[in-house]
Structures are given as structure tokens and as C-alpha cells.
Amino acid sequence: MSAVAHETGSAVHPFRVDVPDEELTELRRRIAATRWPSPELVPDRSQGVQSATMRELARYWAGEYDWRRCEARLNALPQFTTEIDGVQVHFVHVRSPHADALPLIMTHGWPGSVIELLDSIGPLTDPTAHGGRAEDAFHLVLPSLPGYGFSGEPTELGWDVGRVAQAWAELMRRLGYTRYVAQGGDVGAGVTDVMGRQAPEGLLGIHMNLLVTALGGPQFPTDTEGERAAAAAIATFQASGFAYFLEMATRPQTIGYAQLDSPVALAAWLLDHDTDSYDKIARAFVDGRPTGNLTRDRIVDNITLYWLTGTGASAARSYWDNYGVAAVQARAAQPLPEVAVPVGFTTFPGEIWRTPRSWADQSYPTLSYFNEVDRGGHFAAWEEPELFATEVRAAFRPLRTPQVPEPRR
């Protein structure tokens, strides 16, 4: 990749991670100095992240974990930064060894980072090394959301998924990609959904693994057993698992103080997302039984990235920009058009709710690929990278020819 961006003259700089030893020493000191609450009074996670999970995570983090391993892994990848709309955007850019690879921009979510996508790089960029076909290869662009990880923090309001979507279109243009596809889960699904609605020049199609329209969107049918189960799962999430969402959408700065001051508080906040992923993470620490690639090291890699970059507060503020009162009112006043490009969707069984085909059809008239798989959850690329890559390949396979097939309507 050229060190100078195409056409715009905006510089693209190589990036390398180099954390000073004293920051790692200070991290271990702060973990050791944790003031622990008394244990929860219930046998499950209904009062929050459990004491046994957090104590074992802290013990491992301070005593056995090696950040340098993760740092070396990141530095083995081509990483860059470039300024877009006033924010320094960090991204990993791995070109496939296969010349006809399709460019793909993939967006992480919260409480994740580019780390949750690293295990999918090999299967996506070099499928022949992972049981796939050369014609299914991708050139891969993995940006860090503004305010997350190594990307800069926005210094003004308004960095919602729509503005990020515009930035990603500029990033792909800046890298010289005139035909590309986009994928996302969690917040990344929101970015990808909006990219499909903005339909920037060159975007051929999108794939998601979270139906963002199901929260606060249109009314969906509840006629079948699967539809009723999805509606019930959403109701349960909103009644008992929505605390992190509401806090960050309304008071992100408040929770930011704890995340920036205590590594254990940061870890607890990042772990308390959804029941399926929490249970898998708890098993990895308490029982030593990881699920898929959701291992102790990979979990702590992600938490440590948030700590070392000090992005707990700025990542939380992205929810205020997306889901705060002003943001909701603005979307209601000026709704976006329907997605105009072909849409692929995969339902993973451990997701907060299992999206029925009928809901995806109603949300996306251009739905061209839908599949339900037998394993994986909210962090699909992190947990099941090979299966995730298989789904992404299948969803985008029809879009690789210069003449894009007419989507099913």
C-alpha cells in the first residue's frame, strides 16, 4: 500500500504498537490494589458480573497474562492511521495473496475491538489455507471505530453510525477500492446497515449478524414459534440485560470514570454484555473451558487494549451519539432510505435474539442471503472465526462478478 492516499492527498501512515514497560507495571499494580465488593447474593449473573469470574480474571491478568504476545501479533499485521473528518482512524489492512480478491471492510462493536476480528483474517484473506477456494478471497480492511482502541477520540458531538459509515466509504476510496463489500456485528452492524442505506459509490453489498432494526424499529410479526421466541428474547434483554446500554446512551461520562481508574472495573463493565457471551467467558476463567476461540488470552487482550488506550469513556460516548435522546429524535425526524444494495444475514444461535427469516425479509427488501448456523453467539467472528468466514464468503459470492445480479425482491 502506498504511504500516500489516493487522490485526496491525505496521508496514510504506518502504525506500530509499542507500550512502555512502566504502563504494564502500573496496570499490574492497579489490579493488585483492587478494592473488592462483597460477593453477589444470588447464584447467577442477575446482580451483575460474578465474584468468582472477576477474581480469577484478575489473578490471571496480573500474574500470567502477557500483553507482549498480543502486541507482537498486532505488529505482524499491516497497520495504518489516516485522518478522516478530523479523527485519526486506525485500521488493519491485509491484502490477499489472491489477485482477484474482493475488498471487504469489516466493523467491530462494543465491548469489542479489532482484536475480536483477528482470527478471521486468515480464513478471509487466504481461504485456500483454510479449506476454501481462491475465488472466495478478500482484501481486508479492519478499522477501529472512532474513540475505540488506537483510533483517535472525537472532540465534537455527532459521531454516530451514519458519520462512521461516511468515514468508512472515504477510507475505502482513499485506499483505491472502487468495488467493495461491508460486514458488521453489534455497533458494526449499525454502521454496515447505514452504509447500505447511504449506498456510497462502489459498495456492492453488505452482510450483518445482528438485526439492528429489531430495537426500536418497526413492528415484526409474532405468528411463528421462532418469531415469538425472538420477541421474548428481546423483551428479556430490555428488562434485565439492558443496563449497560442505557447507562452509556444517557450517562457515558459517569461510567467512564470507573473504566479509566480501575482495570477490574473496566473488565467487569466490558464483560457484562449478554448472557450467552458472559457465560462462555465465565467458563473460560472459572472452569478453564473456552468456547471456540473465546479463550482467556483473547478475552484479556481485548480488555487490555481498552485499558492501555484509555478509551473506556470515549467508547461509551459513542452510545450517546447513537442512542441518546437527541440522536433518536434526529433519526425520527429524518429517517434514512431503505437499503438499496444486496443484503446478507447470518443468525448465530447464541445471539441476544435469533433473528427469524421473516424479520430479515421485512427489514431488507433486497435480502439476497440468509442462513441460520448451529454455533456461535454475539461475537461470532471472535468465537467461531472459521464458521464466520464461511458465512461471509457465501453471502458475498454472487457479488464478485462486475455485473452484480439483481437482488431478490
Side-chain angles (χ1 to χ4, degrees), residues 167-211:
W168 283 188
E170 168 59 22
L171 176 59
M172 296 303 276
R173 191 186 73 83
R174 196 171 287 188
L175 295 176
Y177 291 132
T178 58
R179 298 175 65 255
Y180 64 94
V181 291
Q183 198 286 329
D186 193 80
V187 175
V191 173
T192 304
D193 170 275
V194 174
M195 289 184 76
R197 297 178 193 278
Q198 293 173 348
E201 184 178 359
L203 181 66
L204 303 179
I206 61 176
H207 174 270
M208 293 159 291
N209 49 283
L210 179 72
L211 192 70

Side-chain angles (χ1 to χ4, degrees), residues 34 76 104 119 133 145 206 211 291 336 361:
T34 299
L104 165 63
D119 289 311
R133 308 179 307 171
L145 288 164
I206 61 176
L211 192 70
T291 303
L336 289 167
D361 271 320

Side-chain angles (χ1 to χ4, degrees), residues 67 117 162 192 249 311 321 329 380:
W67 164 257
L117 305 176
T192 304
T311 49
D321 269 327
Q329 290 175 340

Side-chain angles (χ1 to χ4, degrees), residues 66-345:
D66 180 15
W67 164 257
R68 297 300 183 198
R69 174 195 49 78
C70 180
E71 186 176 85
R73 187 182 189 195
L74 287 167
N75 286 335
L77 297 168
Q79 298 179 87
F80 304 89
T81 62
T82 188
E83 184 177 321
I84 302 176
D85 198 8
V87 171
Q88 282 291 331
V89 173
H90 163 265
F91 62 99
V92 175
H93 183 199
V94 181
R95 291 186 60 84
S96 171
H98 304 289
D100 294 330
L102 178 64
L104 165 63
I105 184 166
M106 213 154 69
T107 312
H108 67 84
W110 187 94
S113 65
V114 292
I115 284 174
E116 71 181 271
L117 305 176
L118 296 184
D119 289 311
S120 64
I121 292 175
L124 289 171
T125 61
D126 192 9
T128 56
H130 296 265
R133 308 179 307 171
E135 54 265 39
D136 285 333
F138 296 93
H139 298 311
L140 199 55
V141 179
L142 306 177
S144 297
L145 288 164
Y148 288 69
F150 299 114
S151 280
E153 296 186 11
T155 57
E156 60 183 11
L157 302 179
W159 271 95
D160 60 4
V161 290
R163 193 165 175 180
V164 174
Q166 292 173 334
W168 283 188
E170 168 59 22
L171 176 59
M172 296 303 276
R173 191 186 73 83
R174 196 171 287 188
L175 295 176
Y177 291 132
T178 58
R179 298 175 65 255
Y180 64 94
V181 291
Q183 198 286 329
D186 193 80
V187 175
V191 173
T192 304
D193 170 275
V194 174
M195 289 184 76
R197 297 178 193 278
Q198 293 173 348
E201 184 178 359
L203 181 66
L204 303 179
I206 61 176
H207 174 270
M208 293 159 291
N209 49 283
L210 179 72
L211 192 70
V212 294
T213 57
L215 290 176
Q219 289 295 112
F220 290 101
T222 54
D223 301 323
T224 68
E225 182 178 347
E227 291 167 348
R228 288 189 291 273
I234 291 174
T236 298
F237 176 63
Q238 291 177 324
S240 62
F242 215 50
Y244 78 89
F245 192 105
L246 290 176
E247 178 71 18
M248 295 197 299
T250 59
R251 296 292 187 273
Q253 196 70 10
T254 301
I255 194 61
Y257 292 112
Q259 294 184 77
L260 271 291
D261 188 64
S262 165
V264 169
L266 169 67
W269 189 251
L270 298 182
L271 261 58
D272 200 5
H273 185 268
D274 67 278
T275 299
D276 179 75
S277 64
Y278 171 76
D279 286 346
K280 290 169 179 174
I281 290 169
R283 281 200 299 271
F285 285 99
V286 177
D287 302 330
R289 294 186 293 114
T291 303
N293 273 26
L294 210 54
T295 65
R296 289 184 175 195
D297 276 337
R298 288 180 172 87
I299 294 161
V300 178
D301 286 343
N302 183 62
I303 299 169
T304 307
L305 177 63
Y306 272 81
W307 175 262
L308 294 174
T309 57
T311 49
S314 55
R317 287 196 292 268
S318 74
Y319 273 64
W320 195 94
D321 269 327
N322 283 308
Y323 310 111
V325 174
V328 172
Q329 290 175 340
R331 279 197 300 274
Q334 193 172 6
L336 289 167
E338 285 192 344
V339 173
V341 298
V343 175
F345 193 93

